[in-house]
Amino acid sequence: MSIDVAHLSFSYGSREILHDLSFSIPDGCLVNVLGPNGVGKSTTLKSIMGLVKTPHGAIELDGEDIIRRPTYERAAAGLGYVPQGRDIFPQMTVQENLELALYAQKKHGKVPDYIYDLFPILPKFAARRGGDLSGGQQQQLAIARALVADPKVLILDEPTEGIQPSVIADIGTAIQRVNKELGLTVLLVEQYLDFVLENTTQLHVME
């Protein structure tokens, strides 16, 4: 699924964060957005997901403009989102976090086996509360939860933040696998340059 952003603008009060932003992501690409703090990288991802209201511009998925559609409709259209900070449900178990994604998308059945193949630590901790996991384990859970909904585009905001190097490598492998094996378009914001160079095929820089 392709993404085309055209002439997007957004302001927090009187402070303009995004000004006439345009870029395209072809179907099946693995793309990173890089830039210093405060230039609007996370706001761009939130705009695509509909978590902030963008008064000007267009956001197209496979040629269909979704700028006026609410977040849940964008998710149903194929967008999967892992926010900065992960936002798992800490009082729910790993299994409950994953099953909630099925329920939210009105899907029936069980969590697909390939999710556990991507993240083999998850079945081991299925009965453990999400809040009791390490930061790296929570990030794996958050990505898995997004994938359970069977998105066509996976959007990740700072997936390596606060995570130990061994888990960063596992996350990079998982991202590459879903891109190559499932054909997912992947859009991420990430500052860790080694990770970016190893795990993306296209780079956009925001100033």
Side-chain angles (χ1 to χ4, degrees):
M1 180 174 281
S2 63
I3 302 175
D4 292 285
V5 173
H7 307 295
L8 200 66
S9 297
F10 176 78
S11 298
Y12 285 114
S14 61
R15 184 187 176 203
E16 189 174 48
I17 304 298
L18 302 179
H19 175 71
D20 199 32
L21 176 67
S22 298
F23 65 94
S24 295
I25 300 173
D27 181 29
C29 280
L30 210 168
V31 178
N32 185 74
V33 176
L34 188 69
N37 292 335
V39 296
K41 301 184 302 298
S42 292
T43 300
T44 299
L45 301 189
K46 291 178 181 178
S47 297
I48 293 171
M49 282 305 305
L51 296 171
V52 296
K53 292 184 178 181
T54 42
H56 305 291
I59 299 170
E60 295 185 354
L61 295 182
D62 277 351
E64 180 182 355
D65 194 356
I66 60 169
I67 193 80
R68 303 301 174 202
R69 296 174 68 177
T71 299
Y72 68 88
E73 288 189 5
R74 301 185 196 200
L79 295 182
Y81 176 59
V82 181
Q84 188 176 17
R86 299 176 277 275
D87 284 358
I88 62 162
F89 295 96
Q91 299 302 319
M92 299 176 69
T93 67
V94 167
Q95 190 67 26
E96 288 168 343
N97 268 274
L98 294 174
E99 290 175 348
L100 187 63
L102 288 173
Y103 177 79
Q105 292 297 323
K106 298 181 180 179
K107 296 181 182 294
H108 302 286
K110 64 185 184 70
V111 175
D113 290 337
Y114 84 88
I115 297 291
Y116 297 129
D117 183 43
L118 285 171
F119 302 109
I121 64 104
L122 296 181
K124 298 176 184 177
F125 298 144
R128 186 174 297 186
R129 293 191 307 177
D132 294 334
L133 302 180
S134 69
Q137 291 164 350
Q138 288 184 9
Q139 186 64 279
Q140 292 177 80
L141 173 58
I143 297 172
R145 186 179 62 183
L147 291 172
V148 164
D150 193 27
K152 302 300 183 287
V153 178
L154 180 62
I155 299 174
L156 304 154
D157 195 354
E158 301 279 7
T160 73
E161 185 179 43
I163 296 176
Q164 59 268 39
S166 61
V167 178
I168 289 175
D170 291 340
I171 289 173
T173 299
I175 289 172
Q176 289 201 48
R177 285 188 60 187
V178 298
N179 173 247
K180 294 175 182 176
E181 296 173 14
L182 302 179
L184 264 67
T185 303
V186 181
L187 170 62
L188 63 151
V189 162
E190 179 54 62
Q191 300 281 60
Y192 180 26
L193 193 56
D194 287 346
F195 181 89
V196 171
L197 295 176
E198 290 174 4
N199 295 293
T200 57
T201 56
Q202 192 178 110
L203 180 65
H204 293 285
V205 180
M206 293 183 69
E207 294 183 294

